Amino acid sequence: MSELFAPAAVSVSELNALAKSLLEENLFGLWVAGEVSNLTRAASGHYYFSLKDSRAQVRCAMFKGTAAKLPAPLKEGDHIELSGRIGIYEARGEFQITVNEVRLKGLGQLYEAYEKLKAKLQAEGVFAAERKKPLPAHPRTIGIVTSLAAAALRDVVSTLKRRAPEIPVIIYPTAVQGSGSELQIAQAIQAAGQRNEADVLIVCRGGGSIEDLWSFNEEIVVRAIEACPIPVVSGVGHETDFTLADFVADVRAPTPTGAAELVSPNRLESLHKLAQAQGRLKTALQQRYYDASQKTDWFARQIRHPQQKLNEQRAQLHTLAQSMRFAMQNSHRFHAQRFARQQQQLAHLRPDVSGAARDVQSFQTALKQHWHNLLANRRQLLEKQAALLEAVSPQHILERGFSVVKNSRGQVIRSAAALKQGQKLHITFADGATDVRVTGETAQPDLFDYS
């Protein structure tokens, strides 16, 4: 059952093509160092060899075009560094490097120094985009830092003469290769910045080997470009050559000619744009003239004599007054008729309340009489009840010689047996009250102490 879900098999050629694609996409831009071994030069001019170190080797193929660029033929035992396309020779499934560039191993030290200084400057923010200055769109003067004997100078000047012959050029001459050339280049850049004669500065030279271009990788040159107050365009070497001057410059051009094109406006292109702008301006002005003419004609047709306009306004006012008077008359007539109809409806719908008024008056009279009778009866009943209460009032009983005896808690003493020797009592008479204390065991009058 599991065979139904097994993955489809790939062919050997598909596997090799897949492996080649993976290697070429993930291993690029590398430099590989080693010793040349098993060197073979075919009749076609292609080289086939192994590059080895103490522990491994890799097959290499260098075709005729690349071999022709070597300063000297490749020899068995040479210690070299190479760069190329890392992949697989699909026909045999062999891992190999197709060589594009070769340099002697000593150049690796230069490259190491290059990378070390580049990392240092990058960490300081020397190459940061936010510190780069924009190029002026229309420079008044262009400065060039290069050698007077350099072919790059002729290319730059001829390009500027063709594109913008009206812009003056100032040359700050310097050696561009060899011992001490980096000091001269830095001094020329510093002089251009101090004199402040140019609006933009081109630092350039033609192509060459890494040694020829090395002066533009020196820190003193990079620092001079960084400190220059004038926008700097780097046009060093060919399009594939990169120096630290390219990274620190405000703009990097692929070639000296490209640098000249970047800093100068194209005169023919500017004239063409100017002609186009002139044509658009002419068309816009012409259209505005047509619009204004039409508007003027329209206003001219609208102009009338003030008396004519006054007469029209008077006629309009008279018409409005008549319309208002007619409307007021109609409104008055309508509301008068409506008011008359509403009065008739009110008179027809008004109820007869005379009978109810008489009934209410009779009821009020009867209610008043009934109230007087009820009040007299209640007063007589109240007087009888008051006399009855007066007859049974405790005060009358006390006046006949009786008294009320209470203990200290306010309870009435009804029996002498409830008395105790030394007990305090309160006796109420008709004309007052007093406190006494029990002095004997029996309830005899002489047992009370009235002190």
Side-chain angles (χ1 to χ4, degrees):
M1 191 68 175
S2 60
E3 294 179 357
L4 297 175
F5 301 98
V10 297
S11 65
V12 174
S13 58
E14 289 173 336
L15 175 63
N16 288 351
L18 180 61
K20 179 182 178 183
S21 176
L22 289 173
L23 289 172
E24 291 179 352
E25 290 178 2
N26 294 279
L27 297 179
F28 59 90
L30 297 179
W31 283 86
V32 185
E35 179 185 345
V36 177
S37 175
N38 300 321
L39 177 64
T40 301
R41 182 177 182 182
S44 60
H46 306 327
Y47 283 86
Y48 300 95
F49 59 94
S50 297
L51 191 68
K52 67 177 185 178
D53 59 17
S54 59
R55 292 183 296 177
Q57 64 179 10
V58 60
R59 291 291 300 170
C60 300
M62 182 171 61
F63 296 110
K64 181 178 180 180
T66 304
K69 300 177 183 178
L70 295 176
L74 204 60
K75 302 188 302 296
E76 185 83 17
D78 281 347
H79 289 271
I80 63 171
E81 295 173 348
L82 57 81
S83 175
R85 189 173 71 253
I86 301 174
I88 287 180
Y89 180 52
E90 294 182 63
R92 291 196 299 270
E94 293 181 353
F95 176 67
Q96 75 171 27
I97 302 175
T98 303
V99 181
N100 292 331
E101 191 173 352
V102 176
R103 65 190 182 194
L104 295 179
K105 193 171 182 180
L107 298 179
Q109 298 175 353
L110 289 178
Y111 185 72
E112 183 179 353
Y114 169 90
E115 288 294 337
K116 185 176 180 181
L117 180 57
K118 179 182 176 183
K120 171 189 172 184
L121 296 172
Q122 194 162 13
E124 294 178 12
V126 174
F127 305 149
E130 55 268 19
R131 60 156 294 277
K132 296 184 182 296
K133 298 178 286 294
L135 301 184
H138 299 282
R140 292 169 295 180
T141 305
I142 298 174
I144 305 173
V145 174
T146 192
S147 171
L148 292 176
L153 177 60
R154 293 191 295 272
D155 294 340
V156 171
V157 171
S158 61
T159 301
L160 293 176
K161 186 176 180 180
R162 169 175 53 83
R163 290 174 59 88
E166 72 282 0
I167 300 179
V169 175
I170 299 176
I171 300 173
Y172 302 92
T174 177
V176 291
Q177 71 180 67
S179 177
S181 59
E182 67 276 8
L183 295 175
Q184 296 185 41
I185 296 171
Q187 290 172 357
I189 295 172
Q190 291 169 358
Q194 292 171 357
R195 290 160 61 176
N196 198 25
E197 301 166 315
D199 296 321
V200 64
L201 189 65
I202 298 175
V203 177
C204 65
R205 67 147 289 158
S209 65
I210 188 172
E211 297 97 329
D212 296 335
L213 304 179
W214 192 253
S215 297
F216 295 90
N217 289 323
E218 295 288 355
E219 184 172 1
I220 188 172
V221 175
V222 175
R223 299 293 185 185
I225 295 175
E226 178 191 15
C228 185
I230 306 172
V232 177
V233 177
S234 172
V236 178
H238 299 304
E239 187 171 357
T240 56
D241 297 324
F242 279 89
T243 65
L244 296 181
D246 294 327
F247 292 109
V248 72
D250 298 297
V251 177
R252 185 251 178 186
T255 62
T257 302
E261 291 176 347
L262 282 174
V263 303
S264 61
N266 190 332
R267 183 171 181 272
L268 296 178
E269 185 176 319
S270 299
L271 291 174
H272 179 65
K273 289 181 179 178
L274 184 61
Q276 288 182 328
Q278 183 180 9
R280 289 195 297 269
L281 180 61
K282 181 180 179 180
T283 302
L285 289 175
Q286 191 175 40
Q287 186 61 46
R288 291 192 64 179
Y289 169 73
Y290 292 153
D291 293 343
S293 298
Q294 291 180 354
K295 189 177 291 186
T296 301
D297 293 340
W298 185 83
F299 281 130
R301 290 193 295 270
Q302 305 305 313
I303 295 177
R304 292 172 293 172
H305 194 279
Q307 185 63 43
Q308 179 184 0
K309 189 173 183 179
L310 181 61
N311 293 337
E312 291 178 356
Q313 291 176 344
R314 285 176 176 172
Q316 186 178 12
L317 182 62
H318 180 70
T319 302
L320 291 174
Q322 288 182 336
S323 299
M324 183 178 292
R325 187 165 48 253
F326 180 73
M328 289 293 291
Q329 291 175 353
N330 287 341
S331 177
H332 176 71
R333 187 181 304 111
F334 170 76
H335 287 293
Q337 294 174 354
R338 183 180 179 185
F339 180 69
R341 287 196 301 271
Q342 290 176 345
Q343 280 185 325
Q344 292 176 358
Q345 292 174 357
L346 182 61
H348 177 70
L349 297 175
R350 179 181 297 169
D352 185 6
V353 297
S354 57
R358 289 192 298 273
D359 294 341
V360 170
Q361 188 174 5
S362 299
F363 178 75
Q364 287 178 339
T365 303
L367 182 61
K368 186 175 182 181
Q369 184 63 39
H370 178 72
W371 172 253
H372 286 301
N373 295 338
L374 179 61
L375 183 60
N377 293 335
R378 294 295 183 184
R379 185 178 288 111
Q380 292 176 1
L381 179 61
L382 179 60
E383 291 173 353
K384 291 179 181 180
Q385 294 293 335
L388 181 61
L389 285 175
E390 184 67 25
V392 297
S393 172
Q395 185 65 29
H396 287 285
I397 296 174
L398 294 176
E399 288 177 352
R400 292 200 302 269
F402 293 95
S403 62
V404 179
V405 181
K406 296 182 180 179
N407 59 20
S408 59
R409 290 179 294 181
Q411 297 173 337
V412 177
I413 302 299
R414 291 181 171 84
S415 172
L419 298 177
K420 296 179 181 179
Q421 185 176 3
Q423 183 178 3
K424 186 178 181 180
L425 301 174
H426 181 77
I427 300 175
T428 303
F429 300 97
D431 58 349
T434 185
D435 291 329
V436 299
R437 189 178 299 276
V438 178
T439 58
E441 292 294 333
T442 60
Q444 297 298 327
D446 57 350
L447 296 179
F448 297 107
D449 182 3
Y450 288 94
S451 59

